[in-house]
Amino acid sequence: MLVVALAVILAAGGATVAGEVEAQDSQWVGGVIMTRSTLRVDAVLAGAAPARLELVHVGGSRDGLGQRLSTEVELALGERVMLDVEPGVDGWRVSGGERGKHAPWQPWLYVRTTTAVSTTCQGYDPKPLYWRAIEVPLTFAATLSADVSTAAARTALDASVATWNAVDCAYLKLTDAGTTTTPMVGYQRSGPNTNVVTWLESGWPQSAAAIAATLTTFECGSGKLVDADVLFNGQGFTFSVAPLGQPATADIENTFTHELGHLVGF
């Protein structure tokens, strides 16, 4: 599989490189923080790449707020990394998001995320992410998956919410704030903000291998979560709600249960 993946990357004009992140700049683009990281390339392990790469990725910190997308690569200033990269319209990107970053980095599963996740909130003391409110409202897009009826999709989503609400040691309760025909993804600095759950049937911006992703925004100084949005990759996957699963499809309830873990701070 690794050989096949590398062949795809090289065919797209990409490369595998090793080097050090020597500069970073984060800016707001609408409600999303975008970071440009300059990588000094010390070695090109496959393909071809210039001596310096400007990598564009979602997430970072700006104006005292941090933002993280669960499927996106995380890079820290001064970090030494090995990456699969490919050219994009506005700069180079890490192929496959977090999947394109290799050892010695490894993800830590099932632990509470902190403000010190790589690019995000550098220079701040690490704080665990948390919701200050006891109830966290979720707003659902009025139109959900193109693959199943809206009613069936909502039943599956509601079952995921019920699973998390049944955790007896948790202080949070996820609540239904209704639906919207205009789901706003990202943090709106002038407000208001809603924690939206929506599908993207086209224009998926992340790794094609990602079934879904959660974009969280939080205060760098405290770790308090202020917004979280869940996006389903309707462009790359067919979704289903079959009780025992359906071949060649992604199960909505299973996927949303996983993404809610990111939403609550894991």
Side-chain angles (χ1 to χ4, degrees):
M1 290 294 292
L2 288 176
V3 173
V4 173
L6 180 58
V8 171
I9 293 167
L10 297 181
T16 298
V17 301
E20 182 175 324
V21 180
E22 61 179 15
Q24 287 185 315
D25 179 59
S26 299
Q27 299 289 338
W28 287 100
V29 179
V32 178
I33 298 175
M34 299 294 297
T35 296
R36 291 180 177 269
S37 296
T38 302
L39 181 74
R40 185 191 70 238
V41 176
D42 298 326
V44 178
L45 307 177
R52 277 179 172 75
L53 296 176
E54 188 174 81
L55 299 166
V56 182
H57 47 106
V58 178
S61 60
R62 186 78 184 179
D63 304 325
L65 293 172
Q67 198 171 72
R68 176 179 182 264
L69 185 65
S70 59
T71 57
E72 182 65 288
V73 68
E74 294 171 357
L75 301 172
L77 188 63
E79 182 180 13
R80 294 192 58 79
V81 292
M82 183 171 73
L83 304 170
D84 297 327
V85 297
E86 59 188 8
V89 175
D90 53 353
W92 288 70
R93 294 184 179 272
V94 177
S95 305
E98 63 180 358
R99 296 170 183 262
K101 185 177 181 181
H102 304 293
W105 176 88
Q106 293 291 341
W108 289 10
L109 301 181
Y110 312 119
V111 297
R112 182 159 292 281
T113 304
T114 75
T115 56
V117 283
S118 296
T119 303
T120 313
C121 297
Q122 295 179 66
Y124 288 82
D125 291 334
K127 303 287 186 181
L129 301 189
Y130 73 98
W131 289 97
R132 186 171 182 177
I134 294 177
E135 294 189 352
V136 177
L138 305 178
T139 300
F140 298 86
T143 301
L144 298 169
S145 173
D147 305 316
V148 300
S149 70
T150 297
R154 275 303 305 267
T155 298
L157 296 171
D158 290 345
S160 297
V161 171
T163 296
W164 275 98
N165 284 343
V167 177
D168 56 13
C169 62
Y171 73 91
L172 284 180
K173 181 180 180 182
L174 303 173
T175 63
D176 184 352
T179 63
T180 177
T181 57
T182 55
M184 297 290 292
V185 174
Y187 182 70
Q188 313 306 314
R189 285 168 286 168
S190 59
N193 282 279
T194 54
N195 306 310
V196 300
V197 179
T198 189
W199 259 256
L200 292 183
E201 299 292 347
S202 62
W204 180 253
Q206 289 299 298
S207 165
I211 302 174
T214 300
L215 180 68
T216 50
T217 307
F218 42 87
E219 295 178 352
C220 288
S222 66
K224 184 178 77 172
L225 284 153
V226 295
D227 185 68
D229 303 315
V230 178
L231 315 175
F232 285 80
N233 180 5
Q235 175 180 306
F237 290 86
T238 299
F239 287 88
S240 66
V241 294
L244 298 179
Q246 184 175 324
T249 66
D251 182 76
I252 291 176
E253 182 179 347
N254 180 69
T255 302
F256 193 44
T257 301
H258 173 93
E259 294 304 321
L260 285 176
H262 295 303
L263 182 144
V264 300
F266 289 97

